C-alpha cells in the first residue's frame, strides 16, 4: 500500500515508514493508551534508529 494513495503524509528523508490500524484505545490514568496493527511499511532502512526513552528522543549508537 502506498500511503499517498490514502492521503496520508509521507515525510521525505526518513529511513522507513509504516501505517497502522487502531485496534485498541483506552484511558490509563491521565494517559491514552493506543495499540495499532501494522498494515504496511517501507523505506530504504538506511540511517540511525530513533529511540524514545524517559520522555526524550535520541538516536541509537553502537556500544
Amino acid at each position: 500500500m502506498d500511503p499517498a494513495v490514502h492521503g496520508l503524509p509521507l515525510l521525505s528523508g526518513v529511513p522507513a515508514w509504516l501505517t497502522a490500524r487502531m485496534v485498541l484505545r483506552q484511558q490509563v490514568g491521565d494517559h491514552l493508551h493506543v495499540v495499532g496493527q501494522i498494515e504496511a511499511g517501507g523505506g530504504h532502512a538506511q540511517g540511525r534508529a530513533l529511540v524514545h526513552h524517559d520522555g526524550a528522543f535520541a538516536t541509537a549508537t553502537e556500544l
Side-chain angles (χ1 to χ4, degrees):
M1 176 182 89
D2 182 351
V5 171
H6 296 283
L8 300 173
L10 184 58
L11 302 175
S12 62
V14 296
W17 60 268
L18 61 82
T19 60
R21 178 178 57 85
M22 185 172 48
V23 294
L24 174 68
R25 184 178 124 180
Q26 64 187 43
Q27 195 75 33
V28 180
D30 62 349
H31 291 75
L32 182 61
H33 177 75
V34 178
V35 176
Q37 179 177 350
I38 297 173
E39 293 184 329
H44 55 75
Q46 296 173 349
R48 299 173 72 182
L50 179 63
V51 178
H52 185 265
H53 175 69
D54 200 22
F57 288 98
T59 55
T61 59
E62 290 186 38
L63 297 176

